[in-house]
Amino acid sequence: MAREFRHALDDILEAINGNQAAVAGKTLADYQGDWVLKHAVQRGIEIISEASRALPDEVKALQPDIPWRQVRTIGNVLRHEYHGLADNIIWGVVVDELPALKAAIEALSERFADE
């Protein structure tokens, strides 16, 4: 049985919160120098990417400012092209992009909480 999409919203939010907690008070240099932190953050982004695939198009359409295609495809980049990823790009995703995604996911979670 396929998981209901609200579970994917929870998974995304949990991964975002985990990444934000992991990098709190840290710098790009901290990220670059900590193998465990780097790989934990990357895994969190992979989870976000994979869970986003479970969201129906009509749900994603409720948050049109989110670049859903990029959210979906970054997991493939992390899995298959990891050698070419620049640390500052992943750091930028966490610091600059995840807050907006978090707000969108929270809004969607609230919207579908009673359904």
Side-chain angles (χ1 to χ4, degrees):
M1 175 187 230
R3 284 175 30 133
E4 208 272 334
F5 79 87
R6 286 179 289 184
H7 291 100
L9 294 172
D10 293 341
D11 291 344
I12 293 169
L13 194 55
E14 180 181 27
I16 291 171
N17 287 337
N19 272 353
Q20 289 180 328
V23 303
K26 304 241 187 310
T27 65
L28 173 58
D30 295 329
Y31 172 80
Q32 290 172 316
D34 187 334
W35 189 92
V36 173
L37 175 62
K38 185 186 298 190
H39 288 83
V41 165
Q42 289 177 5
R43 178 63 179 144
I45 293 171
E46 286 178 5
I47 290 168
I48 293 164
S49 172
E50 192 62 30
S52 76
R53 294 169 184 264
L55 300 178
D57 289 339
E58 56 271 14
V59 171
K60 292 185 281 192
L62 297 171
Q63 292 293 329
D65 293 337
I66 299 300
W68 293 109
R69 186 174 189 280
Q70 291 175 310
V71 172
R72 187 178 70 244
T73 60
I74 195 168
N76 287 336
V77 172
L78 284 167
R79 285 184 290 277
H80 303 294
E81 299 175 32
Y82 57 89
H83 51 80
L85 277 177
D87 289 342
N88 63 327
I89 291 174
I90 296 300
W91 185 256
V93 167
V94 173
V95 173
D96 299 328
E97 305 298 330
L98 289 188
L101 181 60
K102 180 178 180 176
I105 295 299
E106 288 174 337
L108 290 171
S109 292
E110 185 176 311
R111 162 80 166 75
F112 294 102
D114 296 329
E115 291 186 21

